[in-house]
Amino acid sequence: MSGLRVWAVPGIPEVREGDDLAKLIAAAGPGLVDGDIVLVTSKIVSKAEGRLVRAADREAAIDAETVRVVARRGTLRIVENRQGLVMAAAGVDASNTPAGTVLLLPEDPDASAEAVRAGLRDALGVEVGVIVTDTFGRPWRTGLTDIAIGAAGVRVLEDLRGGTDAYGNPLSATVVATADELAGAGDLVKGKAGGLPVAVVRGLGDAVVAGPGGSARELVRGARDDMFRLGTSEAVREAVTQRRTVRAFTDEPVDPGAVRRAVAAAVTAPAPHHTTPWRFVLLESEGARVRLLDAMRDAWIEDLRRDGRSEESIARRVRRGDVLRDAPYLVVPCLVMDGSHTYGDARRDAAEREMFVVAAGAGVQNFLVALAGERLGSAWVSSTMFCREVVREVLDLPAGWDPMGAVAVGHPDGVPAERPARVVSEFVEVR
């Protein structure tokens, strides 16, 4: 590493569609040797591959390259593009291109890097690594730098986990983004406006590997591990639209802290007269859950027998309540009428209660959405509303607490089924 050297390659002409980048680089006389790493700006790769397209409307071009919107502020969009990269404007570039055109990123930057690498091997007889770079903004950091969006023959990540530092401390989370560090080093000598689209790094031969090497896609954090996958408003919208009723759960325990965070979201719901009409009873022990569900089952069976149902029909109906019994965690939301007004008029008193019931529903909706944000599944079941006295007795609740169903909570066992598409206009009337 002490002999590391980085330099830009002058003499690369203006690149046009169909040009052979490897031949253009070789002709510039970069003096390559085995183990060098060649850094190629994505812009000239895109030009050579014919990714310059006519687009009078840049926004339409961004739409076409976008898989999902991560965050939006005014006209600025951070999106995931078709290459799997999360970046501003999907990487669509309108600078240094003829009027009425935009430049798209290479279709497959890894394949582009491999083509340049193979071409340099053929032209110069050298075994080098190649990285395709692009300019990138980063969360939490001001300013732009270059990152690797394509790679061939390069170890893109150096996994130091399992080793120790200089003091003998174990390294448990250190994975170095070598390809990105190389891209940033190349940007220092290429510059953003110097007309030098290619750079070479020498002295890091250990990062060059035989065969195709690593893929730049390894540098993209997977959705499961990405704690910042969405912007704030998009995260809220995603949690609302992706919330599903989950009826099958794994045995994985539920974090009580996650449920309490969801309750904190629930109690921000609107309520009449500045009241707080919600209470959430958390059934964290198996014993509490079994006692409640057994008592509710007995009360339900008694009701069904009074209705004249057959024993077969009763057994079938009782089985439908298994979603609560199978869940590792139960929550019973309750309505309290503290702070409500009494008017002495049946119509107005009924409307007063309706306001509180609506507020309770808003609180439960907040709760369910927040659980989804914690990656917990839930099912809101109305059963406790049909045996409120039983629930109050088993859970030792005050007489004024009205159970508003029960929420089964747990880690989903599988992916919930897609919700059928709903046309918004069918639910809207405009006056």
Side-chain angles (χ1 to χ4, degrees):
M1 185 66 97
S2 60
L4 190 68
R5 182 184 168 209
V6 186
W7 72 93
V9 178
I12 305 294
E14 178 67 25
V15 175
R16 304 184 186 282
E17 182 176 356
D19 283 348
D20 186 322
L21 286 182
K23 288 182 177 178
L24 293 180
I25 294 170
L32 296 176
V33 299
D34 290 346
D36 285 346
I37 299 172
V38 180
L39 309 166
V40 185
T41 303
S42 63
K43 182 167 288 191
I44 66 169
V45 177
S46 294
K47 288 181 176 180
E49 295 179 355
R51 298 284 283 164
L52 186 71
V53 298
R54 295 217 163 267
D57 182 1
R58 180 172 179 249
E59 294 303 308
I62 295 171
D63 288 341
E65 294 295 302
T66 294
V67 173
R68 66 182 178 91
V69 175
V70 174
R72 185 192 303 267
R73 181 170 296 176
T75 59
L76 175 63
R77 280 183 285 172
I78 307 297
V79 306
E80 179 184 343
N81 65 15
R82 293 193 291 113
Q83 289 81 2
L85 299 168
V86 175
M87 59 197 315
V92 175
D93 194 346
S95 63
N96 297 314
T97 63
T101 66
V102 295
L103 195 62
L104 311 180
L105 290 178
E107 283 274 8
D108 185 343
D110 285 330
S112 302
E114 180 56 42
V116 173
R117 183 188 187 213
L120 291 172
R121 184 190 303 119
D122 292 343
L124 302 176
V126 292
E127 198 63 53
V128 298
V130 174
I131 295 176
V132 177
T133 71
D134 195 59
T135 302
F136 210 76
R138 300 146 301 150
W140 313 296
R141 305 290 287 180
T142 298
L144 303 173
T145 186
D146 268 20
I147 66 160
I149 66 168
V154 178
R155 187 180 297 107
V156 298
L157 293 168
E158 184 178 6
D159 191 346
L160 301 179
R161 291 173 296 184
T164 57
D165 64 16
Y167 293 92
N169 300 309
L171 298 173
S172 59
T174 305
V175 181
V176 178
T178 305
D180 281 348
E181 292 185 327
L182 289 165
D187 189 43
L188 290 175
V189 295
K190 288 186 297 179
K192 298 297 184 193
L196 298 169
V198 177
V200 178
V201 174
R202 178 170 295 166
L204 206 60
D206 288 347
V208 178
V209 297
S215 164
R217 284 188 175 270
E218 296 175 42
L219 295 158
V220 179
R221 195 182 299 276
R224 182 175 179 80
D225 298 322
D226 188 354
M227 295 177 65
F228 307 98
R229 187 165 170 78
L230 295 168
T232 303
S233 61
E234 289 75 19
V236 172
R237 191 178 304 114
E238 178 85 356
V240 171
T241 59
Q242 295 303 311
R243 187 207 62 78
R244 297 286 190 277
T245 294
V246 175
R247 298 185 180 279
F249 303 97
T250 70
D251 294 331
E252 183 180 352
V254 171
D255 174 15
V259 178
R260 284 162 173 75
R261 290 191 292 272
V263 172
V267 299
T268 65
H273 315 314
H274 305 289
T275 58
T276 55
W278 327 272
R279 301 293 186 271
F280 291 83
V281 184
L282 312 182
L283 278 64
E284 296 184 341
S285 72
E286 183 178 2
R289 294 193 296 274
V290 170
R291 285 194 299 275
L292 175 65
L293 295 177
D294 284 352
M296 288 173 57
R297 178 197 58 203
D298 294 345
W300 193 9
I301 290 174
E302 187 177 330
D303 283 346
L304 292 171
R305 284 175 177 162
R306 279 200 298 267
D307 291 342
R309 301 280 182 179
S310 69
E311 292 302 313
E312 180 182 355
S313 172
I314 291 172
R316 187 170 58 251
R317 287 170 175 268
V318 168
R319 281 197 298 271
R320 294 175 187 170
D322 284 349
V323 62
L324 295 179
R325 197 170 290 274
D326 295 342
Y329 198 110
L330 287 184
V331 178
V332 178
C334 295
L335 167 68
V336 298
M337 296 291 291
D338 296 353
S340 63
H341 296 175
T342 301
Y343 299 97
D345 174 88
R347 178 181 61 82
R348 296 174 71 189
D349 287 343
E352 180 79 358
R353 178 173 174 80
E354 281 185 12
M355 287 197 303
F356 275 73
V357 170
V358 169
V364 175
Q365 170 70 355
N366 277 13
F367 180 67
L368 300 179
V369 170
L371 288 175
E374 297 278 354
R375 297 194 174 186
L376 289 170
S378 63
W380 185 14
V381 181
S382 61
S383 53
T384 68
M385 299 173 68
F386 293 90
C387 54
R388 283 175 170 152
E389 297 83 359
V390 171
V391 176
R392 280 193 286 261
E393 180 180 351
V394 172
L395 298 182
D396 192 23
L397 302 180
W401 289 28
D402 280 346
M404 304 297 287
V407 180
V409 182
H411 295 272
D413 186 8
V415 179
E418 284 295 319
R419 179 186 288 122
R422 292 171 178 170
V423 180
V424 173
S425 61
E426 294 179 358
F427 302 90
V428 173
E429 291 291 336
V430 179
R431 297 289 187 266

